[in-house]
Amino acid sequence: MTVSFTLPTGCTIRPARSSDRGTLYALLTQFREEVLPPVTSQEWSLRVLAGGILGGVGIHLGVSLGWQRFINLLLGPGIIVGMGVIVATVMTWNNDWRNFWVIEHRNQLIGCAKLRCYPHYSLLHDVYVMPEWRSQGLGSQLVSHLGTRAIKPLYLTCLPRLAQFYMRLGFMPVSSKTLSPLIQYDLGIPGRLQVIPLVLR
């Protein structure tokens, strides 16, 4: 993987630190707002319909069981599940930042990517450079740097419009059918977005 770009003056690539968590979260939020398509009116209609059906079932059970019994029936499991989701989210994010690498320019984070290394392969996720810093080779340098640190093969998925960017860096398209179910799940295949799986060997 040969990249002809160099980092702009004042930019460095380094592992994320605990103190970067807030800024990383902000970068990832901005990344997801750019990448994820807005919810369509058809999806909203299905959500409203599902909510209406669940609401109707809840009212029916509330009337037939009595509201107090119905609320007591839902309250215990609801609290347990809700707390479990909150704890899992906090625990995951509290440790997940350790997998990130960042591009820093004079103490400001301007890009990031997540590299997860396993015994026989690696996964690359969330490659993002702030819009005002694009077209300067930062993304290429970050991906190239992480490619040298990854356990090969290195897998990622990208939007179709970004496939040429990664292929220029040595990645090749791979059929999702050849990937293990675990790798497919980790890469978000299948998911809400149409993505192309790629591999760097």
Side-chain angles (χ1 to χ4, degrees), residues 27-90:
L27 283 174
L28 293 173
T29 299
Q30 190 172 342
F31 169 64
R32 287 183 174 89
E33 286 173 358
E34 265 186 55
V35 172
L36 291 176
V39 177
T40 66
S41 59
Q42 183 180 12
E43 288 174 315
W44 274 114
S45 297
L46 289 173
R47 290 179 186 182
V48 168
L49 178 62
I53 291 170
L54 289 175
V57 169
I59 290 172
H60 174 73
L61 287 173
V63 169
S64 55
L65 290 176
W67 286 106
Q68 189 60 42
R69 282 184 65 201
F70 178 66
I71 290 171
N72 290 341
L73 183 67
L74 291 179
L75 198 55
I79 290 173
I80 291 169
V81 169
M83 291 301 293
V85 168
I86 290 169
V87 168
T89 302
V90 169

Side-chain angles (χ1 to χ4, degrees), residues 182-201:
L182 181 59
I183 292 175
Q184 288 185 42
Y185 174 78
D186 279 349
L187 291 175
I189 303 169
R192 187 168 170 216
L193 295 174
Q194 289 294 106
V195 292
I196 296 174
L198 299 168
V199 63
L200 178 68
R201 298 200 186 274

Side-chain angles (χ1 to χ4, degrees), residues 2-8 13 134-142 144 165 168-169:
T2 306
V3 180
S4 60
F5 293 108
T6 57
L7 287 173
I13 295 175
R134 293 180 189 159
S135 300
Q136 299 182 53
L138 293 169
S140 297
Q141 283 291 332
L142 182 58
S144 177
F165 166 78
R168 184 174 53 83
L169 298 172

Side-chain angles (χ1 to χ4, degrees), residues 23 45-46 68 70 95 113 117 122 128 132 141 158 171 180 190:
T23 309
S45 297
L46 289 173
Q68 189 60 42
F70 178 66
N95 292 320
C117 295
S122 299
Y128 183 72
E132 59 270 25
Q141 283 291 332
C158 69
F171 286 83
S180 73

Side-chain angles (χ1 to χ4, degrees), residues 91-171:
M91 293 297 285
T92 300
W93 179 244
N94 278 340
N95 292 320
D96 202 37
W97 65 267
R98 297 171 199 260
N99 295 310
F100 277 89
W101 286 73
V102 298
I103 304 173
E104 183 177 50
H105 179 261
R106 299 190 177 124
N107 297 319
Q108 177 190 4
L109 300 190
I110 59 172
C112 65
K114 180 168 67 172
L115 177 66
R116 298 192 66 164
C117 295
Y118 298 98
H120 303 291
Y121 66 93
S122 299
L123 300 173
L124 185 61
H125 296 279
D126 300 326
V127 177
Y128 183 72
V129 175
M130 293 176 67
E132 59 270 25
W133 284 92
R134 293 180 189 159
S135 300
Q136 299 182 53
L138 293 169
S140 297
Q141 283 291 332
L142 182 58
V143 171
S144 177
H145 182 78
L146 296 180
T148 64
R149 297 185 167 279
I151 294 169
K152 304 294 189 311
L154 172 59
Y155 296 99
L156 65 83
T157 53
C158 69
L159 297 173
R161 64 182 165 85
L162 294 174
Q164 287 301 316
F165 166 78
Y166 290 106
M167 289 171 66
R168 184 174 53 83
L169 298 172
F171 286 83

